[in-house]
Amino acid sequence: MKPFRERNPVTIGAFGGVVVLLLLLAAFNADRLPFIGGGTDYHAAFREAAGLKPKAEVRIAGVKVGKVTGVGLEGSHVRIDFRVDHGVSLGSTPFASIRIRTVLGQKYLAIDPAGDGNLAKGSEIPLSRSASPFDVLDAVGGLSQTVEKIDTVKLAQAFDAISGTFKDSPAEVRASLAGLSRLSKTISSRDAQLQTLLQHANGVTTVLADRDAEFVKLVSDGNLLLVEVQHRRAAIHRLLVSTSALSVQLIGLVQDNQNQLRPAMQQLAGVVAILQRNEKSLAKGIALLAPFVQGFANVVGNGRWFDTYIANLCGPVLGGALPPGGVCQ
């Protein structure tokens, strides 16, 4: 056997490239490989897809158990392929339905297990055991398109013709037809506004559909807030109970010491009254105290010694000469 280094490098490179390519294919399709695949495949027949898309969730009782792998037309009905996790039992006669996941129209495939045993791998859930939802967004969009196609001028002419035909009818009928004629004229005169309104409504639904992820996150955050409030409910309850108990204790304290508190409050009221009566005198005293405080601060401004001067402490000096020593004795 030849050593590895003596073999043809081109052959080795080609073989290595094929191996790497096979490994990449296996990595990207790991859920389809036997033994390590992602679950069991089934398919269901529906009269319409109702906006369900591949990779949508498959749920049983609200719990995600798989995903939709394909949506396509098969004859006169829609075939939806889906895969559920290993160990999930659908029963022998499950019921499949397309349900709305969010308020903005995202869908998921709901499976309701029924019957004894389990559905065979690759089996189909027939039309008799499937249901599609009513799509509000599609209905609003269809309404706007239908209204836009109405010829309001011809509609007004038709109402006018009907009104003219029944002009010799009784007064009640003529009044009704006249009302219909006025209604048709009003609709015709507001045709542009109605079309603008419907276009704006269509734009709003489009924006809501584009912002689906943001609205879902907003709803999820609101749910988290409610969950946190629910978790803190016991703490809030304890806080309220403690506050109520504290108020009861304070009321009891005041009631128990009412005899002692009343004289103190009366004396305090007397002191406050005296201060109020002498408010002007106190203000004047504080104003006059300011010069004294300033002078006193100047006296003691050199530390702990008083720096001052007392005039004529020694009396008059005779002959203009100081006593011996040059200072007052």
Side-chain angles (χ1 to χ4, degrees):
M1 183 176 181
K2 291 183 179 181
F4 187 77
R5 67 179 60 185
E6 295 180 3
R7 295 180 181 273
N8 189 349
V10 177
T11 304
I12 296 175
F15 180 76
V18 172
V19 172
V20 171
L21 181 61
L22 291 176
L23 290 176
L24 289 175
L25 290 175
F28 284 108
N29 297 275
D31 56 347
R32 299 182 181 179
L33 297 177
F35 304 108
I36 62 172
T40 307
D41 292 326
Y42 301 98
H43 58 275
F46 285 86
R47 289 183 175 83
E48 59 175 332
L52 188 69
K53 298 179 181 179
K55 297 184 180 181
E57 295 181 355
V58 177
R59 296 184 180 183
I60 294 179
V63 179
K64 180 181 177 182
V65 296
K67 65 179 180 179
V68 175
T69 57
V71 178
L73 189 63
E74 187 178 73
S76 60
H77 64 272
V78 176
R79 170 174 170 154
I80 296 178
D81 299 321
F82 63 96
R83 179 177 298 138
V84 298
D85 299 335
H86 288 302
V88 176
S89 177
L90 304 184
S92 58
T93 57
F95 186 86
S97 60
I98 300 174
R99 298 181 184 177
I100 299 176
R101 178 169 172 255
T102 66
V103 295
L104 299 179
Q106 282 191 347
K107 309 294 194 309
Y108 70 93
L109 181 62
I111 304 295
D112 296 323
D116 299 331
N118 193 17
L119 192 66
K121 180 180 179 181
S123 298
E124 180 183 77
I125 301 176
L127 286 172
S128 59
R129 297 202 307 271
S130 65
S132 301
F134 177 75
D135 199 325
V136 178
L137 295 179
D138 292 342
V140 173
L143 175 63
S144 63
Q145 295 175 1
T146 302
V147 173
E148 287 177 356
K149 295 178 181 178
I150 295 177
D151 191 340
T152 55
V153 176
K154 292 183 178 180
L155 180 63
Q157 293 175 355
F159 279 119
D160 290 338
I162 294 174
S163 178
T165 302
F166 289 94
K167 64 181 180 179
D168 296 329
S169 300
E172 294 81 2
V173 177
R174 289 200 303 271
S176 300
L177 294 176
L180 289 175
S181 179
R182 289 194 298 270
L183 175 62
S184 65
K185 291 179 180 179
T186 301
I187 294 175
S188 178
S189 62
R190 299 297 179 88
D191 179 56
Q193 291 87 340
L194 290 175
Q195 288 184 356
T196 302
L197 176 62
L198 292 173
Q199 289 174 357
H200 290 170
N202 191 19
V204 170
T205 57
T206 303
V207 171
L208 291 177
D210 294 338
R211 298 297 179 87
D212 177 66
E214 288 82 354
F215 278 98
V216 171
K217 187 176 183 301
L218 178 62
V219 174
S220 300
D221 293 342
N223 188 31
L224 292 176
L225 176 61
L226 294 177
V227 170
E228 187 64 24
V229 172
Q230 182 71 15
H231 290 166
R232 298 297 179 91
R233 185 176 62 177
I236 296 173
H237 177 70
R238 288 195 300 270
L239 176 62
L240 295 176
V241 171
S242 301
T243 304
S244 178
L246 176 62
S247 63
V248 172
Q249 294 294 331
L250 291 175
I251 293 173
L253 177 63
V254 172
Q255 291 177 350
D256 294 340
N257 298 275
Q258 188 173 7
N259 296 330
Q260 291 81 5
L261 291 175
R262 183 180 292 109
M265 297 301 295
Q266 291 175 351
Q267 293 176 4
L268 179 61
V271 172
V272 172
I274 293 173
L275 293 176
Q276 289 178 347
R277 287 196 303 268
N278 296 276
E279 180 180 3
K280 294 182 179 179
S281 300
L282 291 173
K284 184 177 180 181
I286 293 173
L288 295 175
L289 183 63
F292 170 76
V293 172
Q294 183 179 3
F296 185 77
N298 293 333
V299 169
V300 297
N302 292 329
R304 59 181 180 173
W305 308 107
F306 282 83
D307 186 8
T308 186
Y309 170 74
I310 302 176
N312 300 323
L313 181 62
C314 296
V317 180
L318 298 176
L322 292 173
V327 295
C328 295
Q329 299 294 329

